[in-house]
Amino acid sequence: MSTRPDPRRWWALGALVACMLVLGFDGTILNVALPAMAAQLGADTAEQTWIADSYLVVFAALMLPAGLLGDRFGRRRMLLAGLGIFLAGSLFGAFVTSPAQVIAARVILGVGGALIMPLALSVLPSLFPAEERSKALGAVSAASALGMPLGPIVGGWLLDHFWWGSVFLVNVPLVLLGMAACLFLLPETRDPAAPKLDPLSTVLTVTGLAALVSGVNEGPARGWASPLVITALAASAVLLTALVLRERRAARPVLDVTLLRHRAFRWNTLAAALVTFALTGLLFVVPQYLQTVRGQDAFGTGLRMMPMMGGLLVASRAAGPLVKRLGSRVVIPGALLVLAVAALLGSRTDVHDGYGFAAAWLTLAGFGFGLGIIPAMDGALGALPRDRAGSGSGLLMTLRQLSGAIGVAVLGSLIAGSFAGRLDTHGLPRAAADTAGDSVVAAHAVAARLGDTALARSADAAFVHGMDLALLVCGIGAVAAALLTAARLPGRPAATAPAAGTREAVGADA
């Protein structure tokens, strides 16, 4: 068969960029609308938590079976299905009238996102030759990352001009554009030899991952000794162990750990997860710092995160040539060292520092992330057999998602413990002191109610100390990750592995 690249591939990339942009800012845009939504719908604290977390839990839990569905039924077809589900969830969410309906809409969006993310990535190896793939991955990665600060910016503007449901409707034009472009520009690819999904293995996968992500997410807020957290983590251990034991006998498992036997896929996937862990730590602490200590609203916070995106855009252009010249074994550890420098600089932040210092290390962080994630993803996807691209990209994105969730949980617990230990609540009533110790936001609310400026200053200082400690841990972890990847990564980007049996293309109009 001809190996000439599809002439429509750059137009098709535009469709994938639109899909990833939607997923990027949908993850953060709700943060702006949540207070208004909670007030109008009467959502209590538990309901607000599930409004925020339900999307993430479903998203992480379904990516593995979504990738296998793409291998079996066609990646373009399942990508279109994911976009259709995402469209339905957006339309439903815009007109809900109760907290339970908002949670349902977020679950629907999570199902759609779980289909979109791995399948958008899985079609790249079939569209682009190895020498162009890093450029395509750079565009996709930049779109996904750009969506994170765009969420508060777009959401803030929408809330200034429309009702809170508009944060759901803003997805509609981009999703429709993505559907049209996928329909007319993406070739269909699949693995005709892919077996049927095993219902029991699928249930074990979804419930096990959902329990794991739920437990990790709830740990910092509820405490790791909370019965809910312990139960969720114990259930995930039992379910995932049962899954691994069952999958060892399957011809084509949902959790295909045999892919990790390939050195290039294994270590590039680990590198992508480590880069994600480091960046997630930065993204977790910086918005809180900008909003609580620097006094920015969500719109202003999004604007002040843009230097990170500037660094990422520069890295997306530089990553390919650098890997070609130096090899990923040099570039990826170097990127982790850049992330380490950014985190260590951030760990020197003082409560009186201006925004300029934060902008400098945020730019470095964005550059390090782009320089690391693009070659790591390229190396992992390039090592996959093309008929296993769906399940392989599902495994890759699941491990990245889990790495990010664990990063937030670990750093969140670290900040919470440090904050509670250093906050000066001397002289406050017991109830007010307990409330103030919950978080910097709660401390500021108590300070405003009591007119206690000393408490507000203490809260800022305690939070910045916790943030510095978290960034220090992040920086040390990035240095350790750089040393590990320098020792274990293959020296050059892997060539695409041959497919076992039949190949992928079944016709653009299949």
Side-chain angles (χ1 to χ4, degrees):
M1 64 181 277
S2 172
T3 58
R4 190 176 71 175
D6 192 317
R8 303 171 300 173
R9 64 194 183 281
W10 297 109
W11 290 101
L13 180 63
L16 301 180
V17 165
C19 297
M20 299 300 283
L21 185 62
V22 169
L23 291 185
F25 73 71
D26 196 72
T28 57
I29 195 171
L30 192 70
N31 294 340
V32 182
L34 191 55
M37 185 186 300
Q40 292 186 30
L41 298 179
D44 59 26
T45 301
E47 288 168 332
Q48 291 181 57
T49 299
W50 275 108
I51 288 171
D53 290 349
S54 54
Y55 173 85
L56 175 62
V57 171
V58 174
F59 182 77
L62 290 180
M63 274 195 287
L64 279 175
L68 197 54
L69 283 171
D71 286 345
R72 177 170 175 77
F73 296 109
R75 295 170 194 124
R76 185 187 68 170
R77 181 174 289 119
M78 297 312 298
L79 180 55
L80 282 167
L83 287 166
I85 294 170
F86 205 88
L87 177 64
S90 300
L91 292 171
F92 174 57
F95 302 103
V96 296
T97 57
S98 71
Q101 290 176 350
V102 178
I103 295 170
R106 294 284 287 171
V107 168
I108 296 170
L109 290 170
V111 173
L115 285 166
I116 295 169
M117 177 70 83
L119 296 177
L121 292 173
S122 70
V123 300
L124 291 179
S126 63
L127 282 176
F128 295 93
E131 62 271 16
E132 294 179 344
R133 197 169 53 232
S134 64
K135 187 182 295 185
L137 270 169
V140 169
S141 299
S144 179
L146 185 63
M148 290 184 286
L150 278 182
I153 293 172
V154 174
W157 184 86
L158 288 171
L159 287 176
D160 285 343
H161 295 82
F162 305 101
W163 88 114
W164 60 261
S166 60
V167 301
F168 288 96
L169 279 185
V170 71
N171 296 330
V172 172
L174 280 176
V175 172
L176 290 175
L177 175 64
M179 292 178 73
C182 289
L183 186 62
F184 295 109
L185 296 173
L186 278 184
E188 181 64 283
T189 60
R190 65 162 67 99
D191 173 15
K196 294 181 179 179
L197 280 177
D198 178 357
L200 180 55
S201 292
T202 302
V203 169
L204 290 172
T205 302
V206 172
T207 55
L209 288 174
L212 176 60
V213 174
S214 297
V216 167
N217 276 347
E218 295 293 330
R222 294 178 180 269
W224 295 102
S226 161
L228 176 64
V229 173
I230 292 174
T231 300
L233 294 178
S236 72
V238 172
L239 292 166
L240 292 177
T241 299
L243 173 67
V244 170
L245 294 176
R246 180 177 178 81
E247 297 291 88
R248 290 175 63 182
R249 303 190 300 271
R252 184 68 173 276
V254 177
L255 179 62
D256 195 353
V257 293
T258 61
L259 291 170
L260 296 174
R261 294 175 185 170
H262 193 293
R263 183 187 175 198
F265 180 76
R266 178 174 69 250
W267 288 105
N268 277 292
T269 295
L270 179 61
L274 292 172
V275 171
T276 301
F277 178 94
L279 184 79
T280 302
L282 295 175
L283 288 174
F284 175 69
V285 299
V286 172
Q288 295 184 66
Y289 165 72
L290 292 173
Q291 288 186 344
T292 56
V293 178
R294 303 296 305 167
Q296 300 297 325
D297 59 13
F299 182 82
T301 297
L303 286 177
R304 284 161 179 77
M305 295 289 290
M306 293 308 290
M308 180 181 285
M309 300 307 111
L312 172 60
L313 291 173
V314 172
S316 69
R317 303 281 299 190
L322 283 174
V323 170
K324 186 178 293 186
R325 174 175 293 186
L326 302 175
S328 59
R329 194 170 184 175
V330 173
V331 173
I332 295 174
L336 282 161
L337 288 177
V338 172
L339 272 172
V341 170
L344 293 174
L345 280 175
S347 72
R348 306 298 298 169
T349 300
D350 184 79
V351 71
H352 301 296
D353 285 336
Y355 169 69
F357 179 63
W361 59 266
L362 282 174
T363 303
L364 267 182
F367 183 78
F369 173 67
L371 199 62
I373 200 66
I374 293 169
M377 297 281 286
D378 188 21
L381 293 173
L384 289 171
R386 291 191 179 182
D387 58 353
R388 307 289 283 278
S391 54
S393 60
L395 177 59
L396 167 63
M397 295 310 300
T398 298
L399 292 175
R400 280 191 62 197
Q401 192 75 27
L402 289 174
S403 174
I406 291 170
V408 169
V410 170
L411 297 178
S413 294
L414 193 62
I415 291 174
S418 174
F419 176 81
R422 293 182 71 88
L423 181 67
D424 183 6
T425 57
H426 180 72
L428 290 180
R430 178 65 179 272
D434 290 343
T435 301
D438 288 341
S439 70
V440 64
V441 175
H444 272 275
V446 171
R449 188 171 69 248
L450 299 178
D452 190 340
T453 56
L455 176 61
R457 289 195 300 270
S458 176
D460 288 344
F463 177 81
V464 170
H465 179 269
M467 179 185 82
D468 289 349
L469 185 60
L471 290 175
L472 179 63
V473 169
C474 219
I476 293 171
V479 171
L483 295 175
L484 176 64
T485 52
R488 304 302 300 175
L489 273 173
R492 295 181 179 180
T496 302
T502 52
R503 201 69 166 169
E504 83 284 28
V506 296
D509 296 323

